[in-house]
Amino acid sequence: MNIRHDVKRYPGLGPLTALFFVYLYAPLAVIVVYSFNANRVAGVWTGFSLQWYGSALHNAALMSALETSLIVAAIATVVSTLIALSAALAIIRGKNVRFRKLSETVVNLPLLLPEIVLAVATLILFSLLDIQNGMLRLTIAHSAFCTPFAFLPIRARLQGMSLDLEEASADLYANSWTTFRRVTLPLIFPGVFSGAMLAFLISMDDFITSNLLSTGGSTTLPVYIFSLIRAGTSPELNAIATLLILASLILATVALLVAARGARENA
Amino acid sequence: MSDTALHATAGTDRAPRPRFWHDLSFWGLLPSRLLMGFALILPIFIIAAVSLATRGAHGGFAWDFNLAGYRQILFNEGWTGELEFTPQYLLIITRTFALAGATTLICLVFAVPVAYFISRQPPGRKAVLVYLVTLPFWVSMILRVYAWMIILGKDGTLPRLLETLGFPAGMSFMFNDGATLTAMVYTAMPLMVLPVFASIEKLDGTLIEASHDLYGNRWVTLRRVILPLTAPGIVAGAILVFVPALGAVLEPTLMGGGKQMMMGSLIQLQFGGGRNWPFGAAIAMALMALVMIFLIFTALRAARREALP
């Protein structure tokens, strides 16, 4: 068929889509390019330099913020993934689950409400309970809002899986725990893995909740970046941002690849 | 266990599954119920109560019933207790609605053609393009907003580009609603393209051919065939974009420059520098009510559409 008469083809969509991808990536590229600028003022290009990466790595405040973010994200990832896994198993595999739909809504609740409302509500709760420890505040709140991000890939993986192998395992006199450990878990592992990665990313990237709940000693990376932005152009900022963008892109790519492979095996 | 007994009488065609799966429905859901109950549902009830409490003298609040938090949204109380109508917060609510609505519409206008083009690609390239749309979503929100500060700000990329093209030097595009909108559209775009794509991909191509056989041109086909059949994806995308946009904090704070507030940045201010918790809680309740009304409205419309033959 002559492509000119392909009625499903709309002219001009190719160039529009190309422009769209330029629009998606150009702003990130601008940060990356400026991070190599020798000049203190980001907008004025005076030459290529790696000096801001060097000074960023020797910035004690940055390193302590990174440490806080990594600890909070690691704990929140483990907690939210375990909670999401057990909830997904119960919702998809459990028998006679009362309020199945409602239970699922409860797990996904952080996605339905504006984050700022949840953040200030949690702040009030912690101040009423007199929980002053910044790390504790952050890990509880992060665990809650990371759970749906861990839940969705695990649920998708479990739902796409047939019961045959689990039943075969039971027929071979494996008890429930052995069946779970030797059959179910290896089969859903891609879902668990990509769910955990996404939870980790969401925790690392969070600003709104962390900004309200963090205390002096528990500044997270995005909160520190916000203070740099507010303080005016810090030449290190673009280098820090570039490293963070790179880390996010790599983690997200791995998570998405694992999820995609899992989906193919299921099909 | 009563569960097991129930099961035996239910007469399922499968052999009863091990007891593990029965206990699971309770124990498996318990951790998520505890976490969400403590870190989400309880705080929501508390913030509802705080919105009805009295402002503390030095920040915080006191448990005395008071509607001042809500009253302050519309009225300013003078020294002698007289109420004077003040439109400033109403303006913020209106701006929030207008910017969130504009964000949703702009995302939609670009998402539909892009999603349609991607859906027409061969499978391998399609997967890569979908991945490339998803990817920026995983970059920290604060960096995606910061990128636009570098582009639009003083000494930014765009003013310098315009300067070399002969426009006056020192132009700034920051600190107005347009700047806020630019960042909001950018951060929300992947959330619109993905659900629209999922819907368009399922579209039966023969229906487009049928439309053309019946002398519908491309525009008529788009309006009468493609858009109605992708409505579920468009609605899903609109929810994913509109709801977070209503609660935007970073975009108005960084791009709007403090003066051009939205509800999210106003709430944040009341719990930070402003220190009027009951008022902040009242705005938060108003924001939550708006989100709930929108979600219930779209759910009801979807239910009605499904009920039609």
Side-chain angles (χ1 to χ4, degrees):
Chain A
M1 180 164 51
N2 186 338
I3 198 152
R4 287 186 149 275
H5 296 290
D6 181 358
V7 292
K8 287 180 226 157
R9 191 173 166 274
Y10 280 72
L13 286 192
L16 181 78
T17 306
L19 272 178
F20 176 80
F21 280 103
V22 171
Y23 163 76
L24 274 190
Y25 286 92
L28 300 179
V30 166
I31 296 183
V32 174
V33 170
Y34 281 152
S35 75
F36 297 115
N37 187 0
N39 199 303
R40 285 194 69 85
V41 181
V44 186
W45 184 266
T46 48
F48 179 89
S49 163
L50 288 173
Q51 61 169 317
W52 305 122
Y53 285 90
S55 63
L57 293 178
H58 290 102
N59 179 337
L62 170 68
M63 287 302 140
S64 121
L66 177 64
E67 194 188 332
T68 307
S69 275
L70 286 175
I71 294 171
V72 170
I75 300 173
T77 301
V78 172
V79 174
S80 63
T81 306
L82 287 177
I83 288 176
L85 176 61
S86 83
L89 282 171
I91 286 169
I92 304 294
R93 285 284 187 270
K95 268 272 168 184
N96 302 327
V97 181
R98 266 169 293 174
F99 313 117
R100 195 184 298 261
K101 192 80 197 151
L102 187 69
S103 303
E104 207 170 329
T105 307
V106 166
V107 175
N108 287 326
L109 209 52
L111 296 180
L112 294 176
L113 300 168
E115 190 187 346
I116 181 69
V117 175
L118 290 178
V120 294
T122 322
L123 174 70
I124 298 175
L125 174 77
F126 288 153
S127 73
L128 280 179
L129 296 176
D130 204 29
I131 298 178
Q132 301 289 350
N133 186 314
M135 292 297 255
L136 184 62
R137 291 172 169 214
L138 289 174
T139 44
I140 292 173
H142 280 221
S143 299
F145 71 65
C146 288
T147 299
F149 289 91
F151 176 76
L152 293 172
I154 299 174
R155 183 196 184 287
R157 182 81 189 159
L158 258 179
Q159 192 152 48
M161 207 175 88
S162 89
L163 278 169
D164 297 349
L165 289 171
E166 284 162 359
E167 280 166 0
S169 167
D171 288 346
L172 294 169
Y173 300 102
N175 64 28
S176 309
W177 174 244
T178 311
T179 300
F180 172 73
R181 209 164 40 87
R182 304 283 292 274
V183 179
T184 315
L185 193 57
L187 283 171
I188 60 170
F189 188 74
V192 177
F193 180 79
S194 56
M197 295 279 267
L198 298 183
F200 184 82
L201 264 178
I202 290 293
S203 168
M204 284 294 287
D205 287 351
D206 174 71
F207 171 78
I208 295 177
T209 306
S210 307
N211 184 45
L212 277 163
L213 297 183
S214 70
T215 52
S218 62
T219 305
T220 66
L221 201 49
V223 176
Y224 178 68
I225 289 174
F226 181 79
S227 73
L228 286 186
I229 294 175
R230 264 297 157 92
T233 44
S234 149
E236 286 171 15
L237 179 52
N238 292 319
I240 298 169
T242 300
L243 293 175
L244 204 57
I245 290 173
L246 211 64
S248 296
L249 296 187
I250 291 169
L251 278 181
T253 302
V254 173
L256 297 173
L257 278 180
V258 171
R261 173 170 301 174
R264 258 202 313 279
E265 281 167 11
N266 260 357
Chain B
M1 283 212 95
S2 62
D3 259 0
T4 325
L6 248 172
H7 227 190
T9 53
T12 45
D13 51 350
R14 286 181 188 284
R17 273 181 271 181
R19 232 190 64 186
F20 179 69
W21 298 123
H22 296 276
D23 296 347
L24 185 73
S25 41
F26 174 75
W27 293 108
L29 283 169
L30 190 65
S32 58
R33 282 179 181 161
L34 285 178
L35 178 70
M36 296 305 167
F38 176 72
L40 257 114
I41 296 165
L42 178 65
I44 293 296
F45 279 104
I46 294 175
I47 197 174
V50 169
S51 73
L52 297 168
T54 304
R55 180 184 186 179
H58 309 284
F61 60 93
W63 287 124
D64 295 314
F65 179 77
N66 197 331
L67 284 172
Y70 289 96
R71 204 174 51 211
Q72 199 180 339
I73 297 175
L74 289 178
F75 300 101
N76 200 0
E77 198 175 342
W79 286 109
T80 51
E82 81 278 11
L83 293 177
E84 188 193 355
F85 175 71
T86 45
Q88 58 168 326
Y89 298 122
L90 212 53
L91 184 72
I92 290 177
I93 295 174
T94 313
R95 174 186 294 119
T96 304
F97 245 101
L99 287 179
T103 303
T104 311
L105 275 182
I106 295 171
C107 284
L108 192 60
V109 165
F110 288 97
V112 171
V114 167
Y116 184 80
F117 179 82
I118 295 176
S119 75
R120 305 266 302 127
Q121 299 305 305
R125 193 187 302 167
K126 188 154 57 178
V128 172
L129 291 177
V130 169
Y131 156 77
L132 286 175
V133 171
T134 320
L135 205 51
F137 173 74
W138 298 106
V139 171
S140 183
M141 172 87 95
I142 192 163
L143 296 180
R144 285 182 285 157
V145 177
Y146 170 64
W148 283 97
M149 295 179 73
I150 307 185
I151 294 171
L152 299 182
K154 206 164 134 295
D155 290 326
T157 319
L158 189 62
R160 284 190 176 270
L161 198 68
L162 291 176
E163 200 183 322
T164 55
L165 293 175
F167 286 90
M171 284 169 87
S172 171
F173 301 93
M174 289 284 288
F175 310 132
N176 53 55
D177 289 341
T180 306
L181 183 61
T182 305
M184 287 175 71
V185 169
Y186 181 67
T187 52
M189 195 57 94
L191 294 173
M192 182 64 95
V193 177
L194 293 177
V196 171
F197 167 77
S199 248
I200 287 189
E201 211 197 3
K202 291 200 200 97
L203 191 71
D204 182 355
T206 56
L207 292 173
I208 298 175
E209 283 163 12
S211 164
H212 281 265
D213 290 345
L214 296 167
Y215 300 104
N217 60 28
R218 286 195 169 86
W219 171 243
V220 171
T221 306
L222 173 70
R223 223 159 29 92
R224 303 282 291 273
V225 179
I226 299 178
L227 286 182
L229 287 171
T230 49
I234 291 174
V235 171
I239 292 173
L240 286 178
V241 169
F242 190 69
V243 169
L246 280 179
V249 174
L250 271 170
E251 295 93 333
T253 308
L254 290 175
M255 306 294 291
K259 288 267 185 287
Q260 313 287 326
M261 275 197 278
M262 290 174 64
M263 289 173 86
S265 50
L266 180 63
I267 295 168
Q268 160 135 312
L269 187 70
Q270 298 312 316
F271 288 86
R275 293 172 74 71
N276 187 344
W277 285 26
F279 177 54
I283 299 278
M285 294 309 290
L287 176 58
M288 212 164 66
L290 291 177
V291 168
M292 286 298 144
I293 290 168
F294 175 73
L295 288 179
I296 290 167
F297 175 74
T298 47
L300 285 179
R301 284 206 57 165
R304 205 168 55 203
R305 197 173 318 114
E306 268 169 32
L308 292 174

